[in-house]
Amino acid sequence: MTPKQYKELLRSQQGETNAVLMYKRLAQVVKTERERETFLQLAREEGRHASVFHAYTKQTLKPQKTMSVVLPLLYRLLGKTRLYRMIAKGEYDAAVGYEHLIADFPEVESVKNDEKRHGDIVSALLD
């Protein structure tokens, strides 16, 4: 693993770790049980993603709280339609961003696939 790859894996692990807390906090403010359960499930899956990256980095990271504070505020300010579209886009972008890592780190493929699925799940909450 190159130093550049290590930094990218560490950055990815931090993002996934942050997403766990972000989705847990979002689950506390949403209005329906379906949304609450969905975001708690996504939080669990993001935790698994963080563990995939941890297997490579061997670093234990703590979540950065910024997005876990900002997203509930955006939910109240922007409404769920705009926020969920933003979240879905972020999940789809993450999937694309992980693609180049798969050749050297094959376990990342499951994370990439989940991120695309997460985008679909959050988009489906708008139906």
Side-chain angles (χ1 to χ4, degrees):
M1 169 183 337
T2 68
K4 182 180 176 184
Q5 287 174 318
Y6 178 79
K7 285 175 93 173
E8 186 167 3
L9 292 169
L10 199 59
R11 188 172 45 253
S12 297
Q13 181 184 348
Q14 186 68 63
E16 299 295 336
T17 301
N18 295 347
V20 173
L21 183 59
M22 176 188 84
Y23 282 136
K24 283 182 178 180
R25 294 274 171 86
L26 193 54
Q28 294 173 350
V29 299
V30 296
K31 294 186 173 127
T32 69
E33 185 64 21
R34 175 182 174 220
E35 291 167 301
R36 189 179 81 74
E37 287 301 320
T38 296
F39 288 122
L40 290 175
Q41 177 62 37
L42 294 180
R44 287 188 291 273
E45 292 180 15
E46 299 291 2
R48 187 190 68 75
H49 299 167
S51 69
V52 168
F53 291 108
H54 176 266
Y56 295 116
T57 68
K58 307 294 188 227
Q59 297 295 314
T60 301
L61 304 177
K62 293 184 180 188
Q64 298 166 334
K65 297 179 182 179
T66 305
M67 290 309 290
S68 69
V69 172
V70 170
L71 255 61
L73 290 172
L74 290 176
Y75 180 82
R76 291 181 180 106
L77 294 172
L78 300 178
K80 80 177 194 178
T81 300
R82 288 175 62 192
L83 179 61
Y84 290 6
R85 284 183 184 145
M86 290 169 50
I87 292 171
K89 181 183 181 322
E91 294 287 355
Y92 293 135
D93 290 349
V96 171
Y98 290 149
E99 285 178 359
H100 73 281
L101 294 170
I102 295 168
D104 293 322
F105 309 99
E107 290 82 3
V108 174
E109 184 167 16
S110 70
V111 176
K112 178 198 78 116
N113 293 339
D114 281 352
E115 297 296 3
K116 197 243 180 242
R117 187 174 52 79
H118 289 177
D120 294 344
I121 287 169
V122 173
S123 294
L125 290 173
L126 295 171
D127 293 339

